[in-house]
Amino acid sequence: MALLLTLQTVFLLALVNFSTCRISKGSFEYLVYPTESLNVSIHSDEQCLDIQWAVHLSAYMWNLKMIFQIDISRTTQNNTVENKNYTTTLKPNESLQWCWHSALPLECTSHFVKIRSMVDDERYPESRIWSPWSPVMESEGQDSSGQFRIFPADIIYAEEGSSVTFCCISGAYFHEKIRFFYEDKAIQGIKLSSHTTMYEVNNVRFVRKQGSNAFCRMDSVIKGVVLYVGGVLEEPKDFSCQTRDLETLNCTWDPGRETLLEQLPNNYSLFEWFSQKKVDCAHKNWCTWKLAPDIQDTYNFTLMAENKLRQRRTSIFFNVTQQVQPQLGEISIENVSATEATLTWKIIPNHKKLIFLCQIEVSHDGKGIEYNTSNSEFTLSGLQTYTVYSVRVRCCTADHFWKWSEWSGKNFTTKEAAPSGALNIWRIVEPVSGGYNVKIFWKSLPPSQANGKILNYSIAMEPLGEVPKVDISFSESDSNSTEKFIDHQPYRISIAAINSVGSSTPSVIVVSGSAENSTQNIKEDRVNGTRDGIYLSWKPKPGETEGYVVDWCNYPRDAICDFQWKKFSPNTTSATIRSAAFQSGVRYNFRIYGLSTKHEAYLLEKKTGYTQELALDCKPEVTVDNLASTSLTLIWKDNCTDEPQYGFFKGYRIYVKPEVGGSCDAETENPAFPGNTVGCIYTVPDTKQKTFNVKKLQPNSTYSFEVKAYTGGGDSLGSIIKVTTGTHENRQYSPGHIEYE
């Protein structure tokens, strides 16, 4: 084995001695690899000076680390514009190449390239010395072509705010006559040679979509080029990826500001580092990627944005199972009963690695309740019977919340049940020939008690005489009253609401004509109302009382009066009756009943009143009689009556106003008249009284008299009469004077 190693070492040393260029310096020898096969060419599209070279083959075999110093000169070999150290480790079959990008178009003038090398390998530290320079390689420019030219010669693209370099080549013309313009603005240049001048346009801006004009001009000859200026390509923002089904990944981003140029399109691509796959994106702000959920969960994406001028990139690293926004299939509603329903739904993706949390919202009539579940099935309980519900569901991943799914919703109606509770019923009993006519009223059950669609109402009439016989009839579902004739014996009336499942608890009331007749002499009391309603109070009747009922008509002057009633507990003895139908100037009549525990009704009190009284629509006409020097008699006629459309007619007010001075006696009121004049008011509380004696007047004085009918809502109109009293002088009477207005 030792012999084999020795032979291998001897062979390699021999190879090195045979292949290596050596330079002796004193007692040392150094490894030196001069540059060979230097080649220079121009890539005009990229304005790149492509430099390629090689060294001796042995350097590649040893994988030497080397430094190459590249010197680039412009126009003359002494005008160095770039000096770069290019470091690399040599590998077999790998070429040496470097591309130098020039701000000045490479066609403007000649460029010269030379290279020298150095072994920078830690295995041979003594060899860190430069090789001789390679022969100079020239890349010839177009300045010696003899033609009048501008470079760049083709369409140019640049970013806003950047600088663009041009050159004008005079060719056979006198160079001093050439001028350069950018958008009609002359630019000063730098002379590179006898035929070439360089011009730099700084901080270029977008001018128009058709581009900006740059041109060289000599006399009437123009050589120009179009410069397209676009916005700077921005790095994509808010780069994010998610999946809806663990099959396709949806990536989105904000591309930032538009570059403004159709000629300078931005291209986007996704590169995934683990799989080493790349996808070109068809859209500027989103892209899709096919997933392999059983093979790969973790992804490392780089989003690359690029155009002809720039490249931007941004990266994200994530576990795809943590960035799932689920999708929901249509909700199914099963096993619907009067109070329960079962919801089921499908969640996408259906994957063993994922656990979901679902949110359920159930609402009706603007009210809602929320539930949470980790299943794809949920039973709603405690629902209202025969009610329309709106339900919607959304889900998210439970272990790592990313985003909620969209809502998936549906409506359903619970089934019917037998009506609950009892109808609110009342009656009006009117005597007719041979008995009584009973009008029976009821109020529809609220939906929470109807528990379905009411089909009809059953009315059972049972006489409580010696031979009981029940008569049952039915009323339509849209009705709320019926009429029945009864004879003089009492009847038990039972009414129930019926739907497709069953009937409500019967509501019972006992009607007796004799009980109605016994209440004919109850006096009607007046009550005062307010805009808020009419206040009623009543005296409780001793004995067993089930409650009280107040009934009235909302429109007492109409043929269909809109009969109403309201029930109260046995402990209630007062209430304010309110109705949106109440109007000022309308008299409302109320009857207050007590209800016995045997469902018999008995009238307790009668009340009448207004929410607000109005003045009467009448005008008393006044005449004067018995005119004397200190007294007179007022007589009036009118059509004022206590009609229910205005207010309670309470009597008359007599207004007395002296023309000059005067005073009132203690029996009168003193209203405020205009001009601070004294006036007197006499009140006549008797509506039947049509005369009034006015006394204590002043002789030979003029008075104004006016009579008005009054209610709680004010005074009616009145006619004014002026009277001048007579005089008594030397015991001779002088008659007065009367003027009617």
Side-chain angles (χ1 to χ4, degrees), residues 250-317:
N250 301 298
C251 297
T252 59
W253 59 88
D254 177 6
R257 178 192 173 196
E258 293 284 349
T259 54
L260 304 177
L261 289 180
E262 296 177 359
Q263 300 87 345
L264 196 64
N266 300 330
N267 299 311
Y268 295 86
S269 61
L270 283 177
F271 179 77
E272 205 285 307
W273 290 90
F274 295 130
S275 63
Q276 291 292 295
K277 292 181 181 179
K278 181 181 177 182
V279 169
D280 293 324
C281 302
H283 305 275
K284 67 178 182 180
N285 58 354
W286 64 275
C287 201
T288 60
W289 183 278
K290 289 297 181 181
L291 295 172
D294 296 327
I295 300 173
Q296 182 179 354
D297 286 343
T298 304
Y299 290 82
N300 185 0
F301 278 106
T302 294
L303 171 64
M304 291 175 287
E306 56 187 337
N307 56 27
K308 292 181 179 180
L309 302 175
R310 188 182 292 271
Q311 185 182 86
R312 301 282 196 181
R313 61 180 60 199
T314 184
S315 298
I316 54 173
F317 178 88

Side-chain angles (χ1 to χ4, degrees), residues 488-557:
H488 293 282
Q489 62 182 327
Y491 278 78
R492 182 195 306 273
I493 303 175
S494 301
I495 304 177
I498 301 173
N499 65 13
S500 63
V501 179
S503 64
S504 65
T505 302
S507 298
V508 178
I509 191 168
V510 174
V511 176
S512 172
S514 59
E516 296 292 326
N517 290 332
S518 65
T519 61
Q520 297 298 318
N521 298 325
I522 296 178
K523 182 182 177 182
E524 186 176 67
D525 297 328
R526 291 181 175 183
V527 292
N528 296 320
T530 65
R531 291 183 181 271
D532 187 48
I534 298 176
Y535 177 78
L536 306 177
S537 64
W538 56 88
K539 296 179 180 179
K541 185 175 182 180
E544 294 183 353
T545 301
E546 189 179 68
Y548 300 96
V549 179
V550 177
D551 67 21
W552 72 95
C553 284
N554 271 338
Y555 303 100
R557 293 182 294 190

Side-chain angles (χ1 to χ4, degrees), residues 168-307:
C168 296
I169 299 175
S170 61
Y173 295 95
F174 292 104
H175 189 68
E176 290 75 11
K177 293 185 178 182
I178 294 179
R179 300 182 66 191
F180 175 78
F181 295 86
Y182 180 73
E183 285 292 309
D184 295 329
K185 179 182 179 182
I187 306 294
Q188 296 298 318
I190 299 173
K191 188 173 182 181
L192 298 180
S193 68
S194 58
H195 296 287
T196 304
T197 303
M198 176 178 71
Y199 303 91
E200 188 170 16
V201 181
N202 297 315
N203 194 24
V204 294
R205 294 294 171 188
F206 175 83
V207 176
R208 65 184 73 88
K209 288 186 177 181
Q210 293 76 15
S212 304
N213 297 315
F215 56 92
C216 301
R217 183 172 191 173
M218 191 182 71
D219 296 333
S220 61
V221 182
I222 293 176
K223 296 291 183 179
V225 70
V226 177
L227 171 63
Y228 289 101
V229 179
V232 178
L233 176 64
E234 296 183 357
E235 178 182 304
K237 304 177 183 67
D238 303 325
F239 179 34
S240 175
C241 296
Q242 70 170 31
T243 181
R244 307 299 303 272
D245 53 11
L246 281 182
E247 295 179 1
T248 301
L249 193 67
N250 301 298
C251 297
T252 59
W253 59 88
D254 177 6
R257 178 192 173 196
E258 293 284 349
T259 54
L260 304 177
L261 289 180
E262 296 177 359
Q263 300 87 345
L264 196 64
N266 300 330
N267 299 311
Y268 295 86
S269 61
L270 283 177
F271 179 77
E272 205 285 307
W273 290 90
F274 295 130
S275 63
Q276 291 292 295
K277 292 181 181 179
K278 181 181 177 182
V279 169
D280 293 324
C281 302
H283 305 275
K284 67 178 182 180
N285 58 354
W286 64 275
C287 201
T288 60
W289 183 278
K290 289 297 181 181
L291 295 172
D294 296 327
I295 300 173
Q296 182 179 354
D297 286 343
T298 304
Y299 290 82
N300 185 0
F301 278 106
T302 294
L303 171 64
M304 291 175 287
E306 56 187 337
N307 56 27

